[in-house]
Amino acid sequence: NTFTTVLLLAPGGCRLWPAAGPRVPAGWTQAITPLEIGPRVGSCGTAAYLKEPVITSDIAGDPLWAGYQDLALSYGLRAAWSQPLISKNGDVLGTFAMYFAEPRSPSDSDLESIKRAAQIALIAIERKRTEKALQESEERFRQMADTIPEVIWITSRDPEKLLYVSPSFERIWGLRVADLYRNPRLWTQTIHPEDRERAVSMFTRWIAGEHVSHDVEFRIIQPNGATRWIHERGVASLNEQGRPYRVSGISTDITERKRAEEELRRSEAYLAEAQRLSLTGSFGWNVSSGELFWSKETFCIMGYDHAAKPTLQLVLNRVHPEDLAFVQQTIDRASRDGTDVDFEHRLLFPD
C-alpha cells in the first residue's frame, strides 16, 4: 500500500519525468508524464517549484491537488509526501516522493526517513550525471583527437601506462596503435640513432618530475626506412606532493618544414657563393626605420667588418665626394616617392 517515486527535472527546468518507481501504477505514470511544475501541481510539481518539501496528508481535500484529485483517487492514491532533490549548487534535479493508499500524516521519524531516502537518491543522481558528463566530455575529446593530423597521447605514471593515443600515430610512426598500448616505450625504438639518447633522456627526466613542460625535436625511422622529423610538446599533471602522476602531449610531423628550412639554407648558401664569385652584394632597406640588411659580400664590397651594424651613414662615408650629392638626392627621392632606383656611383676607400 506504499510506493516511492523519483522524478527528474528535464533541461529547461519546467517538466518532471519519471526515473524510478517500479510499483507505481502504469496508468498513473502515463497520465502525469510529463508533469509541469508549478505552485499548485500536486506534491511533486509543487515541491520542485517551491524548492521545499510538500506534505499532502489527504489528497482528496488538498487544494494543491485540484485538477488531479479524481485521477489520483482512481488509482488508490490518498496521501503523498514529496521531497525536492536539490544539488550543492542549489539547482532542483527532481523529486523523491512516497505515496500511500490511505490518508496519512508523517511523524518526525517519517520526515527524517524521507530526507535520508531523498539524500541517497540525490547522491545517485549526481553521480550518474557526473559519469554521463565525463563520458560525453571524453567522447568529444576523442572525436576531436581522432580527426586532427597530430598525435595526441596521455600516459599515466607509477606504473607507466598509455591511456590514450590518437590514430595519427599509425600514419606518422608506421606502427600499430595496439602495439604501442602493449609497449608504451615502443616509439623510442624508432628514434634515429643520432637523436635517441638525447630525446629519451629528456623524456625520462620530464616524466620523473625534473621539468613540468616538455619540448623536443627528433627524427624517427619508419619501418619502410623513411625518416620523419617530430616536434613533441607535453605537460605533466602533478599530485599534491608536486610529483607527476600523468603526462600528456602532442607530437607533430614537421618533416616538410625541416625540408623547407634545409632548402632555404641551401639556396642562401648558393646565393652567397654566387655573390662571392661575381663580386655582387645585396641589401635590404627598411625606409620607415632606416634599418639596413647587407649580404656577406656587401660587407666585403663596402670594406666593413661583418661585426659592423649597417647604416645609411656607413654607405655615404664610402661614396666618392664627387658623387655624394647625386647619391644623397637619389636616396631622398626614393624614400619620399617610394620609387625604385637604378644608378651607378663610385666608392672611395680610406687607403
Side-chain angles (χ1 to χ4, degrees), residues 12 29 47 76 80 98 131 142 207 214 220 242 250 295 297-298 313 316 324:
T29 300
M98 298 182 67
E131 292 174 353
R142 286 182 179 273
I207 65 174
H214 176 62
I220 63 171
I250 182 168
S295 69
E297 192 61 25
T298 301
Q313 188 57 51
L316 297 176
L324 184 58

Side-chain angles (χ1 to χ4, degrees), residues 127-143:
R127 180 182 297 118
K128 188 69 175 178
R129 290 194 172 192
T130 300
E131 292 174 353
K132 182 180 180 182
L134 179 60
Q135 183 179 8
E136 291 175 349
S137 177
E138 290 178 346
E139 182 61 27
R140 287 194 297 270
F141 167 78
R142 286 182 179 273
Q143 289 176 354

Side-chain angles (χ1 to χ4, degrees), residues 108-128:
D108 291 341
S109 176
D110 290 332
L111 291 176
E112 242 352 273
S113 295
I114 194 173
K115 285 182 180 179
R116 287 196 297 269
Q119 185 62 29
I120 293 173
L122 178 61
I123 293 173
I125 291 170
E126 289 187 318
R127 180 182 297 118
K128 188 69 175 178

Side-chain angles (χ1 to χ4, degrees), residues 60-338:
D62 195 313
L64 295 181
W65 282 80
Y68 296 90
Q69 288 168 333
D70 292 342
L71 179 65
L73 295 175
S74 70
Y75 286 100
L77 309 181
R78 297 300 305 274
W81 310 340
S82 183
Q83 178 79 22
L85 304 176
I86 302 177
S87 71
K88 296 176 182 178
N89 298 327
D91 299 324
V92 176
L93 303 184
T95 60
F96 173 83
M98 298 182 67
Y99 289 88
F100 302 92
E102 67 280 335
R104 180 172 174 179
S105 297
S107 64
D108 291 341
S109 176
D110 290 332
L111 291 176
E112 242 352 273
S113 295
I114 194 173
K115 285 182 180 179
R116 287 196 297 269
Q119 185 62 29
I120 293 173
L122 178 61
I123 293 173
I125 291 170
E126 289 187 318
R127 180 182 297 118
K128 188 69 175 178
R129 290 194 172 192
T130 300
E131 292 174 353
K132 182 180 180 182
L134 179 60
Q135 183 179 8
E136 291 175 349
S137 177
E138 290 178 346
E139 182 61 27
R140 287 194 297 270
F141 167 78
R142 286 182 179 273
Q143 289 176 354
M144 178 274 295
D146 287 357
T147 57
I148 65 174
E150 292 82 3
V151 178
I152 293 178
W153 46 267
I154 304 173
T155 300
S156 66
R157 292 277 296 131
D158 299 326
E160 186 175 327
K161 179 182 179 182
L162 182 64
L163 302 178
Y164 173 79
V165 62
S166 59
S168 292
F169 173 80
E170 295 191 351
R171 175 179 55 81
I172 295 176
W173 259 264
L175 301 174
R176 296 195 311 162
V177 165
D179 294 335
L180 186 64
Y181 276 109
R182 284 192 289 268
N183 179 10
R185 289 293 186 105
L186 177 64
W187 64 277
T188 64
Q189 299 174 17
T190 68
I191 299 177
H192 193 286
E194 296 177 3
D195 301 339
R196 184 175 301 152
E197 182 178 355
R198 172 179 56 85
V200 173
S201 175
M202 291 182 65
F203 181 82
T204 301
R205 293 200 307 272
W206 171 53
I207 65 174
E210 293 187 21
H211 311 286
V212 175
S213 61
H214 176 62
D215 194 324
V216 62
E217 293 183 359
F218 56 87
R219 290 165 293 175
I220 63 171
I221 301 177
Q222 296 176 321
N224 62 6
T227 299
R228 311 295 298 178
W229 272 96
I230 305 297
H231 180 201
E232 187 170 88
R233 292 152 291 168
V235 64
S237 301
L238 307 181
N239 58 22
E240 295 179 355
Q241 291 74 41
R243 306 295 298 173
Y245 68 91
R246 184 175 63 238
V247 294
S248 56
I250 182 168
S251 301
T252 306
D253 185 344
I254 59 171
T255 305
E256 295 308 316
R257 191 195 82 188
K258 286 291 186 178
R259 287 174 178 168
E261 291 174 352
E262 179 59 29
E263 185 63 30
L264 178 61
R265 283 192 295 269
R266 187 179 298 112
S267 298
E268 290 176 343
Y270 289 155
L271 176 61
E273 181 64 12
Q275 290 187 352
R276 187 186 67 82
L277 294 174
S278 63
L279 299 179
T280 302
S282 60
F283 68 91
W285 179 27
N286 188 322
V287 177
S288 60
S289 67
E291 189 174 11
L292 288 176
F293 306 91
W294 288 355
S295 69
K296 183 177 180 180
E297 192 61 25
T298 301
F299 279 96
C300 296
I301 293 173
M302 300 297 293
Y304 288 113
D305 187 89
H306 291 84
K309 180 178 176 57
T311 64
L312 186 57
Q313 188 57 51
L314 289 183
V315 175
L316 297 176
N317 289 344
R318 287 287 189 261
V319 175
H320 192 285
E322 296 179 4
D323 298 338
L324 184 58
F326 165 70
V327 171
Q328 185 68 68
Q329 291 172 3
T330 303
I331 293 175
D332 290 344
R333 184 170 59 254
S335 62
R336 182 183 65 249
D337 301 336

Side-chain angles (χ1 to χ4, degrees), residues 50-63:
L50 298 177
K51 292 188 177 183
E52 60 184 37
V54 173
I55 304 298
T56 299
S57 299
D58 187 355
I59 292 176
D62 195 313

